């Protein structure tokens, strides 16, 4: 927790948060508050009478957002409350975060909406990273507060630095202008709920925020996981961005934020343009091909991406280019990932779902150790127990640590939505994405074998074993062999 020198507050019987700005400290306080106020006005984030729930984790950004909005609430005509998700990730530290936020709400006589969520359990059940699981539950909590009309808006404390990091992260992963738009100033809570989630601090730097809090003598909580280099965002924040600023562009953060603002405005423009073209693609199975090809290339691409979103069709840049090739060549066709077929005739571009194919039945079997078992459609899974030093002759990423396993092991077919963290990878990924990267045919995936220890997937055919389960002494080797060749190579 941080604490710094004194600042001056109004001394009313009930703390109101209204700040007296004097001296150098006052300059910093005014700078942050005026910056915030200007951003709120520019983007029309609030209207008088709004009941605004401020999402406060206890960290510097969210605490500063609350303190600054307390100062502005009379001028803005808004009613504040505090929103906190107790995620149960860091044990006693999470308890201390919740207690800190509760005391902060009490100090300023604000209602507190506190929700206890079991993020680790959600992460395990849904096969998500802790970060993704926490975000899902946090936004589900926000949606509930908005949907029940407890709040009209939820304000989150994303900063200029968060925006810059997000843009750079998306550039590294590959993105179009839609991805470059990054974090919008406001968005609907869900497709069915127009209540808004707003980000008033997007033009404010994290360094300004911490100085603002120090000048108020306002403590905050530090989350040690924000320093953990295993998270890509942390490496971008603490390593890559500082390096690029030092060596290439001292104003890089602002440049990235400017890029996001340009991309966001262009996306809004394209949305308007695409609305006028919707009649052209009203029937995806019979798009007027000659008229489609008359459009500029940029509009063709955007129309296809927009249509794919509408049809819930997984799509990447290469898929769009293949669709354009089909449109330009009558008679061409292709079956896309996700069960869609795109074809063209002289008159029409056709985008339609494939007829469902017969799928292999689900299976779930105890896996003998040692031993072998047949799994659909034509595989045998063979298990061997290896003792040291024999196990040392193998790559540890191909062997499971015997002492970490919950027996009996179970083999079953992969289920959509499941995630897996192969040894040597930086994070868990959806198996569907891993299959795509390995070019495993869609028709083979329904029966693809995975092995579970308890409820955790520890082995997937064709991949290293699960991260954290690599063997270094007594080990289990699992081999996937064709039914007619049980001595084939290890997979």
């Amino acid at each position: 927790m941080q604490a710094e020198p004194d600042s001056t507050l109004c001394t009313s019987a009930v703390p109101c948060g209204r700040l007296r700005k004097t001296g150098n400290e006052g300059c910093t306080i005014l700078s942050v508050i005026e910056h915030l106020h200007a951003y709120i006005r520019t983007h029309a984030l609030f209207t008088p009478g709004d009941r605004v729930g401020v999402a406060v984790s206890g960290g510097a950004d969210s605490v500063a957002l609350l303190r600054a909005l307390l100062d502005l609430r009379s001028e803005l005509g808004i009613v504040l409350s505090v929103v906190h998700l107790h995620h149960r990730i860091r044990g006693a530290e999470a308890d201390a975060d919740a207690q800190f936020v509760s005391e902060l709400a009490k100090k300023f006589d604000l209602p507190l909406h506190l929700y206890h969520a079991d993020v680790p359990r959600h992460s395990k059940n849904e096969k998500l990273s802790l970060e993704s699981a926490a975000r899902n539950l946090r936004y589900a909590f926000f949606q509930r507060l908005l949907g029940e009309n407890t709040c009209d808006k939820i304000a989150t404390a994303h900063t200029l630095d968060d925006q810059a990091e997000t843009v750079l992260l998306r550039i590294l992963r590959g993105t179009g202008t839609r991805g470059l738009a990054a974090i919008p100033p406001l968005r609907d809570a869900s497709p069915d709920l127009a209540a808004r989630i707003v980000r008033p601090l997007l033009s404010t730097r994290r360094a300004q925020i911490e100085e603002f809090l120090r000048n108020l003598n306002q403590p905050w909580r530090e989350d040690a996981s924000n320093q953990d280099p295993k998270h890509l965002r942390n490496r971008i924040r603490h390593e890559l961005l500082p390096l690029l600023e030092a060596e290439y562009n001292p104003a890089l953060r602002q440049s990235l934020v400017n890029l996001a603002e340009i991309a966001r405005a262009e996306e809004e423009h394209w949305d308007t343009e695409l609305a006028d073209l919707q009649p052209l693609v009203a029937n995806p199975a019979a798009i007027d091909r000659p008229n489609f090809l008359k459009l500029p290339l940029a509009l063709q691409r955007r129309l296809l991406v927009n249509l794919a979103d509408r049809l819930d069709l997984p799509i990447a840049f290469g898929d769009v280019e293949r669709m354009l090739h089909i449109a330009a060549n009558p008679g061409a066709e292709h079956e896309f990932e996700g069960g869609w077929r795109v074809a063209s005739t002289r008159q029409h571009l056709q985008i339609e779902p494939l007829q469902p194919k017969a799928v292999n039945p689900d299976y779930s079997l105890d896996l003998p150790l040692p031993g072998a078992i047949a799994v659909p459609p034509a595989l045998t899974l063979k298990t061997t127990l290896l003792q040291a030093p024999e196990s040392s002759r193998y790559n540890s990423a191909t062997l499971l640590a015997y002492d970490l396993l919950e027996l009996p092991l179970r083999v079953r077919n992969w289920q959509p939505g499941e995630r897996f963290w192969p040894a040597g990878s930086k994070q868990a990924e959806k198996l569907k994405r891993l299959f795509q990267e390995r070019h495993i045919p869609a028709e083979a995936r329904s029966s693809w074998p995975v092995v579970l220890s308890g409820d955790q997937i520890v082995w997937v055919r064709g991949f290293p074993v699960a991260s954290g389960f690599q063997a270094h002494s007594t080990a289990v080797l699992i081999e996937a062999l064709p039914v007619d060749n049980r001595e084939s190579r290890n997979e």
Side-chain angles (χ1 to χ4, degrees):
M1 186 181 294
Q2 306 291 320
E4 293 293 331
D6 242 347
S7 72
T8 307
L9 299 178
C10 282
T11 55
S12 58
V14 177
C16 65
R18 192 70 184 174
L19 308 173
R20 293 177 181 169
K21 298 105 178 175
T22 59
N24 292 333
E25 294 177 357
C27 292
T28 300
I29 292 169
L30 275 170
S31 174
V32 169
I33 292 175
E34 289 175 349
H35 225 84
L36 175 68
H37 196 188
Y39 193 81
I40 290 170
R41 289 198 309 269
T42 298
H43 296 283
L45 299 186
F46 302 127
T47 56
D50 276 345
R51 295 163 298 167
V52 180
V54 185
V56 182
S57 66
D61 299 344
S62 61
V63 171
L65 176 60
L66 178 65
R67 292 300 308 268
L69 287 177
L70 279 166
D71 193 68
L72 291 170
R73 61 178 168 176
S74 296
E75 190 170 353
L76 295 170
I78 59 177
V79 179
L80 297 179
S81 60
V82 175
V83 175
H84 181 75
L85 179 80
H86 187 310
H87 46 58
R88 300 185 186 176
I89 296 176
R90 303 190 331 274
E93 289 187 26
D95 293 337
D97 290 344
Q99 182 63 31
F100 173 83
V101 173
S102 298
E103 292 173 357
L104 194 61
K106 183 177 180 181
K107 176 180 178 181
F108 294 107
D109 196 26
L110 297 175
L112 172 65
H113 308 294
L114 175 63
Y115 178 61
H116 289 260
D118 194 339
V119 171
R121 179 184 293 274
H122 183 67
S123 170
K124 181 179 179 181
N125 290 345
E126 300 299 322
K127 308 298 188 293
L128 299 170
S129 68
L130 280 176
E131 184 180 24
S132 296
R135 185 183 187 281
N136 288 355
L137 291 179
R138 183 167 58 251
Y139 278 87
F141 179 36
F142 295 167
Q143 290 172 18
R144 179 164 63 82
L145 291 173
L146 294 165
E148 294 173 351
N149 293 319
T150 303
C151 300
D152 301 308
K153 306 274 176 65
I154 299 289
T156 66
H158 294 88
T159 66
L160 182 148
D161 299 79
D162 293 317
Q163 183 75 294
E165 292 159 10
T166 301
V167 174
L168 186 53
L169 176 64
R170 292 185 178 179
I171 290 172
L172 292 175
R173 288 177 170 170
T175 188
T177 52
R178 183 165 56 171
L180 289 177
I183 307 171
L186 71 169
R187 70 172 181 83
D188 291 345
S190 73
D192 303 318
L193 186 60
R196 298 302 181 96
I197 295 173
V198 300
R199 286 77 177 243
L201 286 178
L202 276 178
S203 67
T204 307
R205 290 287 301 270
R206 191 171 291 126
Q208 292 175 289
I209 284 170
E210 294 185 0
E211 186 178 1
F212 168 72
L213 292 176
R214 284 192 290 268
N215 287 335
L216 292 179
N217 194 28
Q218 171 63 63
W220 69 87
R221 298 279 301 169
E222 291 285 4
D223 183 347
S225 67
N226 289 334
Q227 305 296 324
D228 190 342
K230 77 178 181 182
H231 301 301
L232 178 57
R233 181 177 287 273
N234 286 345
R235 296 199 299 278
I236 289 173
R237 176 177 299 171
H238 301 299
E239 299 171 11
L240 182 57
L241 259 175
L243 173 65
L244 293 175
E245 287 174 320
E247 298 292 336
Y248 298 98
N249 181 2
L252 179 62
R253 290 171 205 256
Q254 188 61 56
S255 297
L256 291 169
V257 169
N258 294 345
L259 178 59
E261 181 62 24
I262 292 168
R264 186 178 64 82
E266 291 192 356
E267 286 301 305
E268 291 175 355
H269 166 77
W270 283 113
D271 287 344
T272 303
E273 291 285 318
L274 292 175
D276 295 335
L277 291 172
Q278 288 310 306
L280 178 61
V281 292
N283 180 5
I287 298 170
D288 188 311
R289 176 177 164 273
N291 282 333
F292 175 81
L293 292 176
K294 290 177 184 176
L295 297 174
L297 177 59
L299 265 178
Q300 291 179 19
R301 284 175 174 154
R302 286 185 173 266
L303 199 58
L304 290 176
V305 169
N306 182 268
L307 182 59
D309 286 345
R310 199 176 88 204
L311 298 174
D312 195 25
L313 171 62
I315 197 166
F317 178 78
D319 298 323
V320 174
E321 296 306 290
R322 184 183 287 269
M323 293 169 79
L324 290 173
H325 173 79
I326 293 169
N329 294 274
E333 65 176 88
H334 182 72
E335 293 184 7
F336 284 81
E337 187 67 40
W340 290 84
R341 173 181 172 271
V342 178
S344 67
T345 65
R346 294 186 66 84
Q347 188 59 38
H348 292 116
L349 176 64
Q350 302 166 334
I351 303 175
E352 52 194 356
L354 293 167
Q355 292 300 315
K357 296 180 180 178
V359 296
N360 295 306
D362 290 344
Y363 62 90
S364 180
L365 306 164
D366 284 347
L367 183 61
L369 178 61
I373 190 170
V375 298
L379 280 179
T380 294
L381 254 60
K382 176 184 176 183
T383 64
T384 307
L385 189 61
L386 302 174
Q387 303 290 340
E390 185 181 8
S391 61
S392 63
R393 296 198 292 268
Y394 291 79
N395 182 336
S396 63
T398 66
L399 302 177
L400 290 167
Y402 176 78
D403 58 345
L404 298 180
L405 299 176
E406 182 179 331
L407 301 179
L409 298 174
R410 186 162 53 94
V411 58
R412 61 165 172 77
N413 54 304
W414 160 76
Q415 300 296 318
E418 289 186 320
R419 302 175 75 89
F420 181 57
W421 190 334
S425 298
K426 294 178 180 177
Q427 61 186 8
E429 297 279 4
K430 284 190 176 182
L431 273 170
K432 180 177 179 179
R433 180 172 178 177
L434 295 175
F435 291 155
Q436 290 171 342
E437 291 174 351
R438 294 289 181 94
H439 304 292
I440 295 169
E443 60 271 17
R445 296 176 194 171
S446 62
S447 60
W448 202 263
V450 302
V451 173
L452 292 88
S453 170
D455 294 327
Q456 182 168 357
I457 296 176
V458 295
W459 181 92
V460 177
R461 181 190 177 196
F463 294 88
V465 300
S467 180
F469 281 81
Q470 304 98 308
H472 299 286
S473 56
T474 304
V476 175
L477 171 66
I478 301 178
E479 299 169 283
L481 312 171
V483 155
D484 59 350
N485 183 6
R486 298 191 180 191
E487 299 303 323
S488 292
R489 64 179 178 85
N490 173 32
E491 298 232 17

